[in-house]
Amino acid sequence: MLYLIGLGLSHESDITVRGLEIVKKCSRVYLEAYTSILMAADISSLESFYGRPVILADRELVETGSDVILKNAKEEEDVAFLVVGDPFGATTHTDLVIRARELEIPVEVIHNASVMNAVGACGLQLYQFGQTISLVFFTDSWKPDSFYNKIMENRKIGLHTLILLDIKVKEQSIENMARGRLIYEPPRYMDIATACKQLIEIEELRGEQAYTENTPCVAVSRLGSPTQKFKAGTLKELSEYDSGEPLHTLVMLGRQVHDLELEYLYQFVDNKEKFKKDVEQDQEFFKPPPYVPPEENFSD
Amino acid sequence: MLYLIGLGLSHESDITVRGLEIVKKCSRVYLEAYTSILMAADISSLESFYGRPVILADRELVETGSDVILKNAKEEEDVAFLVVGDPFGATTHTDLVIRARELEIPVEVIHNASVMNAVGACGLQLYQFGQTISLVFFTDSWKPDSFYNKIMENRKIGLHTLILLDIKVKEQSIENMARGRLIYEPPRYMDIATACKQLIEIEELRGEQAYTENTPCVAVSRLGSPTQKFKAGTLKELSEYDSGEPLHTLVMLGRQVHDLELEYLYQFVDNKEKFKKDVEQDQEFFKPPPYVPPEENFSD
């Protein structure tokens, strides 16, 4: 049997009771360690919490060595594959399930919280979110902006946008890659200021006002960890915000901001009146035309 | 301290290890029991799992008696408020947090899986979902259809729609309510066939082809429970589907169906070739016009 087990967001003890019971009985335990990180735990604290060894699964192992992970899982052995958040947060894990099914290995999933639902803690209602986008680190020559149209689509219909920020773990520099040297760069996690600057840069390039530097956003830092922090402000304001340790996520507000949402966000702003004004002003973008009653016919 | 603790989707043991530790140390434990249910547990199995009494919190208590729940939580006592899924799945709980903050009661949230992220288990990618809608039980005189425009908005930009189905717990009949009799109707949970029939009914009334009876959907039944089941088919096909015990959720596909998503869905269909054709045919709706290269000027 293959168990895909979500670890939640931060602590060792964010695993579910059922998940922990399964980890303890599996013969091999893998930890997927390149699409996200647990903020208040590492592999050795997990090993001591579980009372058993944990094997780090990097991108190579998961994407090309899945048969190693799945070895003997059809009948003889139970294998646990641990994923930060929920197992269906990344396409990679869907691949692993499809491969297991091809090999007729039964699969069970133990769900957990992920940023996709826990972001509700910022006070914005989950059912008001549109499609989720990802923002990668720009380089001098590579500034992919396909997210821009998606933000535009969301905001045209009034919805909030969850913006996932780039994580670079175990990446090689181009030079080391070219020379075949297995030397890895230190991990990098995009912070809020970088994300906001990149968003403003693309708006300046495209100029279609999918958003402006005055569009209100919520910075979500270390969600679910003991040092979790929210900060609401405009893109411009947050481009100068020191968001501290990773991980971070950004939410861009849509036009449909309910009173209850706004009330909740006030606790995260510097200036309540200014923020309220910023929200009202931003609601002018993509505003549907006012209702015009059908003209009555007095012609006769 | 007020702790909002997510219980996940199904088993007593779907609570996180950290959540369980907190439940054990709190002086009062409330279970919110009207916006959802745990599928493989009830209040007495929870009490024996936690080793302590659990107080059922119905709508009246949560919406009008929040000060009873929050009593002494500022300094003397720790209070746990248990919520099926994740605590931020319903606006009700946001209200409770705002009330606690007004009373200067510290609040901590223990997140867990909810349908909003666990629905990824059907194989459709979460970042491709648009806004979430809710479908209530129609009566002869009340068929609210505000969801229709939202599905249209999602599908115009190619996105999937998560459709939450009505749950009626502790509801009074109009007659009993009028006579002031505290007699409650048996709980009702909308099944897949009813949901699909209601969707088709509204499409026939509105006729704007936000979707058709041939639009592909995924029926998600008992998500996260031991009897979890997925079934993919057209709205028409699923309107005759026997989905079994509750709870159910429906996903309507958008135009942007990736190969990996389709590959995953095939395991849930009766006829792979037919389903593939249905998906392709449905993609014709809201299809962007084909690219036309700018006309070259040969006039001179």
Side-chain angles (χ1 to χ4, degrees):
Chain A
M1 178 85 113
L2 171 69
Y3 292 97
L4 267 80
I5 302 177
L7 297 185
L9 297 162
S10 175
H11 305 78
E12 299 95 7
S13 54
D14 283 341
I15 192 171
T16 67
V17 174
R18 197 156 70 94
L20 181 60
E21 284 164 4
I22 292 168
V23 167
K24 284 178 184 287
K25 71 163 196 175
C26 281
S27 53
R28 294 196 308 283
V29 179
Y30 293 91
L31 171 65
E32 188 272 270
Y34 62 95
T35 62
S36 192
I37 56 161
L38 273 184
M39 286 172 286
D42 57 27
I43 192 156
S44 65
S45 72
L46 287 179
E47 287 185 327
S48 75
F49 188 74
Y50 303 151
R52 56 198 333 292
V54 171
I55 307 160
L56 266 189
D58 60 16
R59 190 184 294 273
E60 289 143 87
L61 181 61
V62 177
E63 292 185 357
T64 65
S66 60
D67 288 359
V68 175
I69 296 172
L70 298 173
K71 199 179 156 197
N72 296 333
K74 189 173 169 188
E75 280 155 6
E76 299 89 339
E77 296 188 62
D78 288 329
V79 175
F81 187 79
L82 311 181
V83 178
V84 175
D86 184 74
F88 286 99
T91 39
T92 309
H93 314 132
T94 314
D95 267 339
L96 188 64
V97 175
I98 290 178
R99 182 67 190 137
R101 293 215 164 113
E102 285 167 0
L103 298 170
E104 295 175 10
I105 295 169
V107 177
E108 191 171 332
V109 176
I110 314 294
H111 291 288
N112 210 321
S114 62
V115 61
M116 305 294 283
N117 70 337
V119 72
C122 78
L124 295 171
Q125 296 297 328
L126 287 179
Y127 59 82
Q128 297 254 60
F129 280 72
Q131 59 200 320
T132 300
I133 64 157
S134 296
L135 192 60
V136 299
F137 279 114
F138 287 176
T139 66
D140 287 343
S141 58
W142 194 62
K143 300 177 200 287
D145 67 354
S146 59
F147 66 82
Y148 186 84
N149 292 341
K150 294 180 182 182
I151 294 181
M152 176 87 89
E153 288 171 339
N154 285 345
R155 280 175 49 88
K156 270 188 180 165
I157 56 176
L159 303 178
H160 311 314
T161 304
L162 174 63
I163 305 175
L164 304 177
L165 307 188
D166 202 2
I167 289 179
K168 289 214 177 297
V169 181
K170 216 181 167 185
E171 303 266 337
Q172 287 172 282
S173 67
I174 292 173
E175 196 193 333
N176 283 327
M177 206 185 295
R179 299 191 180 199
R181 293 190 295 219
L182 290 177
I183 300 170
Y184 301 101
E185 301 299 300
R188 291 170 70 204
Y189 308 97
M190 191 184 290
D191 62 20
I192 296 293
T194 305
C196 292
K197 281 177 198 149
Q198 290 194 177
L199 286 164
I200 292 172
E201 188 180 345
I202 293 300
E203 177 56 58
E204 282 168 358
L205 279 170
R206 299 279 297 256
E208 300 163 41
Q209 292 201 307
Y211 49 87
T212 74
E213 63 177 28
N214 295 319
T215 293
C217 295
V218 186
V220 178
S221 294
R222 300 169 299 281
L223 182 62
S225 88
T227 60
Q228 166 179 294
K229 194 169 178 195
F230 302 103
K231 184 81 188 174
T234 64
L235 259 185
K236 177 78 182 157
E237 286 162 359
L238 293 177
S239 74
E240 286 153 24
Y241 170 58
D242 178 4
S243 51
E245 292 293 303
L247 302 170
H248 309 283
T249 305
L250 189 69
V251 181
M252 187 182 288
L253 269 65
R255 183 188 358 99
Q256 294 170 25
V257 185
H258 288 188
D259 288 348
L260 188 67
E261 293 181 312
L262 201 53
E263 188 60 40
Y264 204 91
L265 290 179
Y266 284 152
Q267 57 185 311
F268 310 132
V269 302
D270 287 330
N271 180 329
K272 187 173 150 174
E273 288 311 313
K274 179 181 181 304
F275 186 73
K276 193 179 173 195
K277 222 177 109 190
D278 289 333
V279 168
E280 283 167 359
Q281 206 168 346
D282 191 67
Q283 289 174 339
E284 294 301 313
F285 290 92
F286 312 117
K287 204 172 183 175
Y291 175 73
V292 179
E295 212 172 311
E296 284 186 66
N297 190 350
F298 294 112
S299 64
D300 48 356
Chain B
M1 176 86 110
L2 170 69
Y3 291 97
L4 268 79
I5 303 178
L7 296 186
L9 297 162
S10 176
H11 306 77
E12 299 96 5
S13 54
D14 282 342
I15 193 171
T16 67
V17 173
R18 197 155 70 93
L20 181 60
E21 284 164 3
I22 293 167
V23 167
K24 284 179 184 288
K25 72 163 195 178
C26 283
S27 53
R28 294 196 309 283
V29 180
Y30 294 92
L31 171 65
E32 188 271 90
Y34 62 94
T35 63
S36 192
I37 55 161
L38 272 185
M39 286 173 287
D42 57 28
I43 191 157
S44 66
S45 72
L46 287 180
E47 286 185 326
S48 76
F49 188 73
Y50 303 152
R52 57 198 334 291
V54 172
I55 306 159
L56 265 190
D58 59 16
R59 190 184 294 273
E60 288 143 87
L61 180 62
V62 177
E63 292 185 357
T64 65
S66 61
D67 288 0
V68 175
I69 296 172
L70 298 174
K71 198 180 157 199
N72 295 334
K74 189 172 169 188
E75 279 157 5
E76 298 90 340
E77 296 188 62
D78 287 329
V79 175
F81 188 79
L82 310 182
V83 178
V84 176
D86 184 75
F88 286 98
T91 39
T92 309
H93 315 131
T94 314
D95 268 339
L96 188 64
V97 175
I98 289 177
R99 182 68 191 135
R101 293 216 163 113
E102 284 167 2
L103 299 169
E104 294 176 11
I105 295 169
V107 177
E108 191 171 332
V109 176
I110 314 294
H111 291 288
N112 210 322
S114 62
V115 61
M116 305 294 284
N117 70 338
V119 72
C122 79
L124 296 171
Q125 297 297 328
L126 288 178
Y127 58 82
Q128 297 255 59
F129 280 72
Q131 58 200 319
T132 299
I133 64 157
S134 297
L135 192 61
V136 299
F137 279 113
F138 286 176
T139 66
D140 288 343
S141 58
W142 194 62
K143 299 177 200 288
D145 66 353
S146 60
F147 66 81
Y148 186 85
N149 292 342
K150 293 181 182 180
I151 294 182
M152 176 86 91
E153 288 171 340
N154 285 345
R155 281 174 48 87
K156 269 187 180 165
I157 55 176
L159 303 178
H160 310 315
T161 305
L162 174 63
I163 305 175
L164 303 176
L165 307 188
D166 203 1
I167 289 179
K168 290 214 176 298
V169 181
K170 216 181 166 187
E171 301 268 335
Q172 288 174 282
S173 67
I174 292 172
E175 196 192 333
N176 283 328
M177 207 185 294
R179 300 190 178 200
R181 294 190 295 219
L182 290 177
I183 299 170
Y184 301 101
E185 301 299 300
R188 290 169 71 205
Y189 307 97
M190 191 183 290
D191 62 19
I192 295 294
T194 305
C196 292
K197 281 176 197 148
Q198 290 193 177
L199 286 164
I200 291 172
E201 189 180 345
I202 294 300
E203 177 54 59
E204 282 168 358
L205 280 170
R206 300 278 298 256
E208 299 164 40
Q209 293 202 306
Y211 49 87
T212 75
E213 62 177 27
N214 296 320
T215 293
C217 295
V218 186
V220 178
S221 295
R222 299 170 297 283
L223 182 62
S225 89
T227 60
Q228 165 180 295
K229 194 169 175 192
F230 303 103
K231 184 80 188 174
T234 64
L235 259 185
K236 176 79 182 156
E237 287 162 358
L238 293 177
S239 73
E240 287 153 25
Y241 170 57
D242 178 4
S243 52
E245 293 292 304
L247 302 171
H248 308 284
T249 305
L250 188 68
V251 182
M252 187 181 287
L253 269 65
R255 184 187 356 100
Q256 294 171 27
V257 185
H258 288 188
D259 289 347
L260 188 67
E261 293 181 311
L262 201 54
E263 188 61 40
Y264 204 91
L265 290 179
Y266 284 152
Q267 57 185 313
F268 310 132
V269 302
D270 287 329
N271 181 330
K272 187 172 149 174
E273 287 310 313
K274 180 181 180 304
F275 186 74
K276 193 178 173 196
K277 221 178 110 190
D278 288 334
V279 168
E280 283 166 358
Q281 207 168 344
D282 191 67
Q283 289 174 340
E284 294 302 313
F285 290 91
F286 311 116
K287 205 173 182 174
Y291 175 72
V292 180
E295 210 171 311
E296 284 186 66
N297 190 350
F298 294 112
S299 62
D300 48 355

